[in-house]
Amino acid sequence: MAAWMLTAAGRGLGGAFTVTGRPGAVTIGQLLETALEVTAFDAELVWAPPELLQQQGVSLGMEFGLRLPDGGAPNGMHDADVSAAFAAGLTCRPLADTLADTWAWLQAEGDPAPRPDAPSPDTWLDPAAEQRVLDQL
């Protein structure tokens, strides 16, 4: 997207643009499957039914890919109108390319230090709740 912004500036294109992929272009499943392929990790993704997560008191928000229990799409940042940017020539590179480049960068430079105000991963999901879900899959 940075290349598009530089090209747009070079063309004298002005205005406000929301510059991201189209809503719904990539699912969490596609993201995770592609990440496994790119990194060559041998893992099996197992999807927990929303009812099980609710039954075990696991939040259906940030921990599990910003999805809603009724299958609906989240609103807000995930449904931004990006039509102006695409009409002006924005293209998105393939997900596998982005993940491969990110993986190569992480392999070369290591994980970046977390921001000081970032919540600890230990607070993302209660380990006991996670184990209760895993025991029922």
Side-chain angles (χ1 to χ4, degrees):
M1 288 182 205
W4 175 82
M5 288 188 264
L6 291 172
T7 301
R11 292 182 5 221
L13 184 63
F17 294 93
T18 300
V19 183
T20 185
R22 295 183 192 277
V26 176
T27 67
I28 291 294
Q30 291 167 324
L31 174 68
L32 295 174
E33 290 287 350
T34 305
L36 289 176
E37 292 170 15
V38 164
T39 60
F41 274 85
D42 183 21
E44 176 186 1
L45 299 176
V46 178
W47 301 101
E51 301 79 25
L52 173 60
L53 300 176
Q54 286 177 322
Q55 175 190 16
Q56 294 303 322
V58 175
S59 169
L60 297 176
M62 294 294 287
E63 301 91 341
F64 293 101
L66 297 171
R67 63 175 173 71
L68 302 176
D70 64 1
N75 56 22
M77 68 180 175
H78 294 287
D79 61 3
D81 181 2
V82 296
S83 59
F86 279 90
L90 175 68
T91 59
C92 293
R93 63 194 299 230
L95 176 62
D97 293 352
T98 300
L99 291 176
D101 285 348
T102 303
W103 182 239
W105 169 66
L106 287 171
Q107 296 295 90
E109 297 189 21
D111 289 334
R115 290 175 30 163
D117 61 341
S120 166
D122 298 344
T123 66
W124 293 351
L125 179 61
D126 174 37
E130 180 181 16
Q131 190 59 56
R132 288 192 307 269
V133 170
L134 292 172
D135 288 345
Q136 294 188 46
L137 292 177

